[in-house]
Amino acid sequence: MKVVTQFEMSILESLGLLKVDFLGLATLTIMARACDLIRQRHGVDFNLDNIPLDDPVTYDLLGRGETAGVFQVEGSGMRRYLMQMNPKSWRM
């Protein structure tokens, strides 16, 4: 079971929590188009259910803070945290 609610960002920050904004329709459209282009050019059929979460090259880029254009992690604060954490996996 997942619980979702909405609070003002300053309230969440005071509790030590992270506010996450859901993707807008424009971003979802761009992601769908990117998947279409990958399928057309490389013959790989990506969708939100089969994008690999264990790609070491991707984690190396994140750990170096190379996140320009990556939604939610391209700001200087998130880049700094990624470089400090140097993630190697994604656990759900």
Side-chain angles (χ1 to χ4, degrees):
M1 177 174 79
K2 293 182 181 182
V3 177
V4 178
T5 187
Q6 183 174 351
F7 289 95
E8 185 179 280
M9 187 169 139
S10 60
I11 294 171
L12 292 175
E13 285 179 343
S14 71
L15 296 171
L17 298 174
L18 171 68
K19 180 179 189 290
V20 178
D21 295 322
F22 290 97
L23 298 175
L25 291 177
T27 304
L28 292 174
T29 301
I30 292 168
M31 290 173 66
R33 182 68 180 132
C35 288
D36 289 341
L37 290 171
I38 291 168
R39 183 175 36 260
Q40 291 170 13
R41 293 180 185 173
H42 303 285
V44 178
D45 188 21
F46 282 131
N47 61 56
L48 295 179
D49 295 320
N50 72 357
I51 295 174
L53 300 177
D54 60 351
D55 180 39
V57 175
T58 300
Y59 288 104
D60 288 342
L61 288 170
L62 292 171
R64 290 193 307 267
E66 295 181 26
T67 59
V70 180
F71 184 71
Q72 296 287 36
V73 293
E74 65 182 331
S76 61
M78 289 302 292
R79 282 196 331 268
R80 183 177 65 247
Y81 290 132
L82 281 171
M83 289 187 293
Q84 289 172 356
M85 292 185 300
N86 196 22
K88 300 294 181 198
S89 66
W90 177 266
R91 304 215 188 237
M92 296 173 74

